[in-house]
Amino acid sequence: AQSVTQPDIHITVSEGASLELRCNYSYGATPYLFWYVQSPGQGLQLLLKYFSGDTLVQGIKGFEAEFKRSQSSFNLRKPSVHWSDAAEYFCAVKAAGNKLTFGGGTRVLVKP
Amino acid sequence: GAGVSQSPSNKVTEKGKDVELRCDPISGHTALYWYRQSLGQGLEFLIYFQGNSAPDKSGLPSDRFSAERTGGSVSTLTIQRTQQEDSAVYLCASSITGSRSYNEQFFGPGTRLTVL
């Protein structure tokens, strides 16, 4: 069965600093991978997705992620964090029937 | 156009009562999903509807949970004889279809259920 691990429960970063969130997946076939963001009291918003092709994918809000098959990873990055990036971030893999399996999430705190 | 809407936004109930949670998907979306977000279990898939096909109920945690989708649009998730461990945020999502390789799922704001 597929699974997703996000090793970091919390990350604190200073505004303007770079951010990297880790995601490792377990899946038997070529994975469809996603990153979602959840701001307080809000639903999930899709940041970016990977299906195939270029392993570096660009998303909204200045985020990017790199798929590394050899490491079973799909880490999310942003070069310069803004205070509005404080939120919880979820990595997910698509399973059969289009349902998503999510990681446990990483909460990002941004220091001024 | 409007996104996915859910009601109520918050629901407090007593243990043993039944509750109904409603989801209005984006118009024209044929696929609808329910997920549960809880402290102990994270984000879990519950059930998936695709058009007129039989729903995928593989994520429902017990037979106290059921869901229906009327007219291919609005969905209701029902929890009977609620237990404290049912306390969670219940998220609904919809996509244009679920039958192709992937279609983006758009999420609603969720219903926060508290069972006292």
Side-chain angles (χ1 to χ4, degrees):
Chain A
Q2 65 283 339
S3 66
V4 179
T5 302
Q6 293 179 243
D8 305 304
I9 298 174
H10 291 100
I11 284 183
T12 300
V13 61
S14 297
E15 192 168 13
S18 64
L19 174 68
E20 181 167 12
L21 304 182
R22 296 184 289 164
C23 172
N24 293 98
Y25 67 89
S26 172
Y27 190 61
T30 300
Y32 292 172
L33 294 159
F34 311 88
W35 275 99
Y36 282 85
V37 61
Q38 186 177 37
S39 299
Q42 304 294 314
L44 295 167
Q45 181 182 23
L46 181 67
L47 285 175
L48 48 77
K49 56 185 181 284
Y50 171 78
F51 293 166
S52 64
D54 194 346
T55 56
L56 184 64
V57 293
Q58 303 296 321
I60 62 171
K61 304 186 180 189
F63 285 92
E64 67 179 25
E66 186 171 13
F67 171 64
K68 293 186 178 180
R69 183 186 299 277
S70 61
Q71 298 178 17
S72 298
S73 69
F74 188 56
N75 294 347
L76 181 72
R77 298 193 292 255
K78 185 168 184 177
S80 177
V81 168
H82 186 262
W83 64 267
S84 60
D85 295 322
E88 190 156 19
Y89 294 79
F90 293 91
C91 182
V93 64
K94 171 188 169 298
N98 212 30
K99 59 191 177 188
L100 298 173
T101 296
F102 289 89
T106 298
R107 185 170 298 278
V108 173
L109 304 175
V110 180
K111 295 190 300 183
Chain B
V4 177
S5 61
Q6 294 185 245
S7 60
S9 55
N10 281 283
K11 176 72 177 178
V12 180
T13 191
E14 294 178 347
K15 178 181 172 181
K17 301 277 189 178
D18 298 352
V19 295
E20 288 188 347
L21 313 180
R22 177 187 169 104
C23 173
D24 281 275
I26 294 172
S27 177
H29 282 194
T30 64
L32 187 147
Y33 317 78
W34 284 97
Y35 294 86
R36 178 170 69 173
Q37 185 174 23
S38 59
L39 283 177
Q41 302 298 321
L43 263 163
E44 308 170 277
F45 165 79
L46 295 177
I47 187 169
Y48 158 54
F49 296 89
Q50 171 56 58
N52 295 322
S53 302
D56 176 353
K57 304 179 182 181
S58 60
L60 294 179
S62 79
D63 58 8
R64 295 186 295 105
F65 288 72
S66 63
E68 62 178 20
R69 189 177 184 192
T70 54
S73 181
V74 172
S75 176
T76 302
L77 177 69
T78 300
I79 309 173
Q80 295 179 310
R81 305 181 303 281
T82 52
Q83 303 295 312
Q84 288 181 332
E85 61 263 29
D86 300 333
S87 295
V89 176
Y90 290 82
L91 294 169
C92 176
S94 70
S95 64
I96 293 175
T97 178
S99 57
R100 283 187 285 172
S101 298
Y102 178 75
N103 285 281
E104 178 179 350
Q105 295 182 28
F106 295 84
F107 283 81
T111 293
R112 180 175 297 278
L113 175 66
T114 303
V115 182
L116 301 177

